[in-house]
Amino acid sequence: MGQKGSHTSDVIFDNCEVPFDALLGEVEGQGFRTAMKVLDRGRLHISSICVAMAERLIDDSLRYAAERKQFGQPIAEFQLVQAMLADSKAEAYAARCMVLETARQKDAEMDVSTEAACCKMFASEMVGRVADRAVQIHGGAGYMEEYGIERFYRDARLFRIYEGTTQIQQLVIARNMLKSLS
């Protein structure tokens, strides 16, 4: 559906033996826990891509709205177009702030498991909404390959799946909240 530049395929290990010196985590039975530790960084990475894509979509939409005329005026002068632009800007700004603060905490070697999941969940959902508004602002042109908005729209959908779906992020966040009570 999207992400044409990313080659994706299944990898299946069947009856595969891993030598002891190649075990992830260097301790048998700890591989899953070790693998999960890199998810925070991956979730921040995906979140930052979502922010960048949203900012690009907003810039393209703003430029298009300022140039495209209907009824003798740029569509950027219509209040409902302005509302879509403003909503997109506010959401992208919120996601950017979340990602930057969580990255600072990660750089300070703090546990950011909950915060990274919050960033990933919010940013990936946000870019989907921004992409949808961008198509709406562009109207029929947003559906055509010429402007590239349709490609961003398709690509944005995958971010709600990468590094754990939105529903997985909800579970991570809630479970970490419950753990903090103990």
Side-chain angles (χ1 to χ4, degrees), residues 1-3 46 50 53-54 57 123-132 149-162:
M1 188 170 127
Q3 301 286 325
I46 295 298
C50 290
M53 180 183 281
L57 284 162
S124 63
E125 293 290 334
M126 172 276 301
V127 76
R129 291 186 296 272
V130 170
D132 189 60
I149 299 300
E150 56 81 34
R151 177 177 49 88
F152 282 122
Y153 182 78
R154 286 183 287 110
D155 287 352
R157 181 60 182 92
L158 188 55
F159 292 126
R160 287 185 269 166
I161 298 169
Y162 273 160

Side-chain angles (χ1 to χ4, degrees), residues 5-23:
S6 173
H7 300 287
T8 305
S9 62
D10 289 328
V11 177
I12 299 168
F13 296 101
D14 191 19
N15 294 321
C16 177
E17 290 190 31
V18 178
F20 185 77
D21 64 342
L23 287 177

Side-chain angles (χ1 to χ4, degrees), residues 30-72:
Q30 295 298 310
F32 181 75
R33 183 178 299 200
T34 301
M36 293 298 102
K37 288 179 183 176
V38 301
L39 284 180
D40 293 345
R41 188 179 69 190
R43 288 174 177 155
L44 278 173
H45 177 246
I46 295 298
S47 300
S48 64
I49 292 171
C50 290
V51 169
M53 180 183 281
E55 290 174 349
R56 165 70 187 271
L57 284 162
I58 294 165
D59 289 347
D60 288 356
S61 296
L62 180 61
R63 226 177 346 279
Y64 181 83
E67 294 170 4
R68 178 74 168 107
K69 291 192 177 7
Q70 281 291 327
F71 309 107

Side-chain angles (χ1 to χ4, degrees), residues 54-127:
E55 290 174 349
R56 165 70 187 271
L57 284 162
I58 294 165
D59 289 347
D60 288 356
S61 296
L62 180 61
R63 226 177 346 279
Y64 181 83
E67 294 170 4
R68 178 74 168 107
K69 291 192 177 7
Q70 281 291 327
F71 309 107
Q73 62 182 339
I75 65 170
E77 293 182 23
F78 300 144
Q79 289 178 337
L80 293 177
V81 171
Q82 291 175 0
M84 287 189 283
L85 290 167
D87 286 348
S88 294
K89 180 69 172 183
E91 286 190 75
Y93 177 66
R96 174 178 275 280
C97 291
M98 288 174 76
V99 171
L100 286 171
E101 178 56 26
T102 303
R104 282 186 193 100
Q105 292 174 11
K106 180 143 180 58
D107 285 347
E109 298 183 10
M110 296 170 65
D111 178 10
V112 295
S113 182
T114 302
E115 292 80 3
C118 288
C119 288
K120 200 295 189 165
M121 182 178 78
F122 184 83
S124 63
E125 293 290 334
M126 172 276 301
V127 76

Side-chain angles (χ1 to χ4, degrees), residues 135 138-152 154:
V135 170
H138 280 77
Y143 205 69
M144 308 302 288
E145 286 183 15
E146 176 184 345
Y147 288 88
I149 299 300
E150 56 81 34
R151 177 177 49 88
F152 282 122
R154 286 183 287 110

